[in-house]
Amino acid sequence: MKTNMVYRANEYNVCERGNYRSHRFFSYGGFYDADRTQFGTLRLLNNNFFTGPGRFGQQHHSDLEVIIMPLNGEIEYTDSRAHRSIVKKEEVLVVSAGTGLSYAINSVNPKEEVNYLKIWVMPRRRGLTPRHQVCAVDTDMFANRFHYFVAPDNVISKDRAVIHQDAWIAASEVDPKKKITYTKKDAKNGVFIRVCYGDIKVRDHVLSEGDCIAFDDKQDIKIEGITQNRFVLLELPMNVTLYDSEDSITIPPKM
């Protein structure tokens, strides 16, 4: 994947099934782009919508960390272990698929439009015990700072969701004409930014709603607010062989 360039929202692959619509950044399902298979340990970032009634069955995953972040509306999570959770805006759901888990994401209210981000991160180890976690996200902490709401499981994290990878996910809202600087936890990590709404400037690139940009260098990242905005920032290991296994990680030529 190319870095230091803006991927515009209208460049996503769009999949529609009835009242469900998915905007796919990375190769997924019937969509394949050799230049966008993954970014380090970040394997998927979809912006999904429910626009009316409809139910979807469970899908099965293993050895994935799944992060679900509602941007608007409420979603229902159900899984093959008979768990059910309602995840609201200003909350985050983390699912560790581990040895294998089937789960479904559906809209709670068929009359309400729902918009949520779905993120896949490769874990550092295979064969983990499946689990899920719902945590509140304090949006009051977004103002002109990076508020981490997902952190590695080996870091003491109060009031944050955790994943089995040395990755951090933060959100921020930068006032117009104000600048903030992001310094990575680990200089070898990559940074992926996705704008939820509004306009920001990142290293002279202007990003608007739905736009993404990624960096894999060791420099700090300065971000300036242009209009009222909110964005998500992911800091992730770039070494995709971090699995505790001798098996190599391969992305099939067709998904």
Side-chain angles (χ1 to χ4, degrees), residues 7 12 27 31 61 85 91 93 123 132 135 148 154 173 216 220 226 228 238:
Y7 291 87
Y12 285 45
S27 298
F31 165 59
H61 293 309
S85 295
E91 291 183 331
L93 164 70
H132 83 285
C135 282
Y148 297 103
N154 54 14
E173 299 171 353
D216 59 1
D220 290 347
I226 298 176
Q228 294 296 323
M238 297 302 291

Side-chain angles (χ1 to χ4, degrees), residues 6-14 22-25 36 47 49 194-196 198 206-213:
V6 179
Y7 291 87
R8 299 297 179 190
N10 60 9
E11 297 174 5
Y12 285 45
N13 171 263
V14 179
S22 180
H23 295 235
R24 304 164 170 176
F25 182 86
R36 284 170 31 194
N47 188 18
F49 298 83
R194 196 269 186 192
V195 179
C196 299
V206 175
L207 285 76
S208 300
E209 181 175 343
D211 292 349
C212 298
I213 194 167

Side-chain angles (χ1 to χ4, degrees), residues 61-65 97-100 121-123 125-128 243:
H61 293 309
S62 59
D63 297 320
L64 274 178
E65 302 294 292
T99 54
V121 175
M122 297 176 179
R125 287 198 305 117
R126 289 189 167 113
L128 297 165
Y243 276 123

Side-chain angles (χ1 to χ4, degrees), residues 21-247:
R21 185 173 77 253
S22 180
H23 295 235
R24 304 164 170 176
F25 182 86
F26 292 104
S27 298
Y28 176 71
F31 165 59
Y32 180 76
D33 183 334
D35 293 326
R36 284 170 31 194
T37 56
Q38 64 194 82
F39 177 66
T41 50
L42 175 61
R43 176 60 192 88
L44 178 139
L45 190 148
N46 288 354
N47 188 18
N48 296 341
F49 298 83
F50 290 111
T51 58
R55 302 286 296 179
F56 291 88
Q58 295 183 350
Q59 54 183 321
H60 185 81
H61 293 309
S62 59
D63 297 320
L64 274 178
E65 302 294 292
V66 181
I67 300 97
I68 304 288
M69 183 180 181
L71 302 179
N72 185 60
E74 300 180 355
I75 61 170
E76 175 196 57
Y77 165 84
T78 55
D79 66 29
S80 53
R81 301 170 302 159
H83 292 151
R84 179 179 182 270
S85 295
I86 302 300
V87 188
K88 304 175 183 178
K89 183 179 179 181
E90 302 182 3
E91 291 183 331
V92 63
L93 164 70
V94 167
V95 180
S96 296
T99 54
L101 179 71
S102 296
Y103 72 92
I105 301 295
N106 282 289
S107 173
V108 173
N109 183 353
K111 296 182 180 180
E112 176 183 52
E113 180 168 309
V114 176
N115 176 14
Y116 66 95
L117 295 182
K118 181 177 183 178
I119 299 166
W120 288 355
V121 175
M122 297 176 179
R124 74 171 75 83
R125 287 198 305 117
R126 289 189 167 113
L128 297 165
T129 301
R131 59 179 283 274
H132 83 285
Q133 177 186 16
V134 178
C135 282
V137 178
D138 187 355
T139 57
D140 291 339
M141 300 293 289
F142 291 179
N144 299 312
R145 57 170 290 178
F146 298 99
H147 177 61
Y148 297 103
F149 58 92
V150 176
D153 62 312
N154 54 14
V155 174
I156 297 175
S157 299
K158 183 180 180 181
D159 301 326
R160 288 190 292 217
V162 296
I163 58 174
H164 297 289
Q165 183 53 275
D166 300 315
W168 301 78
I169 304 179
S172 181
E173 299 171 353
V174 185
D175 291 340
K177 299 184 179 180
K178 188 173 181 65
K179 298 179 181 179
I180 60 176
T181 300
Y182 186 79
T183 301
K184 290 189 285 186
K185 303 283 187 180
D186 186 329
K188 299 186 294 296
N189 287 345
V191 170
F192 189 98
I193 296 171
R194 196 269 186 192
V195 179
C196 299
Y197 64 80
D199 306 281
I200 60 174
K201 181 183 287 188
V202 185
R203 290 187 181 173
D204 296 324
H205 299 284
V206 175
L207 285 76
S208 300
E209 181 175 343
D211 292 349
C212 298
I213 194 167
F215 302 99
D216 59 1
D217 58 59
K218 297 182 179 181
Q219 304 301 313
D220 290 347
I221 301 171
K222 294 186 181 297
I223 302 174
E224 178 181 358
I226 298 176
T227 63
Q228 294 296 323
N229 60 78
R230 177 178 295 178
F231 61 92
V232 175
L233 181 149
L234 301 91
E235 178 181 337
L236 312 108
M238 297 302 291
N239 183 359
V240 297
T241 62
L242 289 179
Y243 276 123
D244 184 18
S245 169
E246 295 180 356
D247 297 336

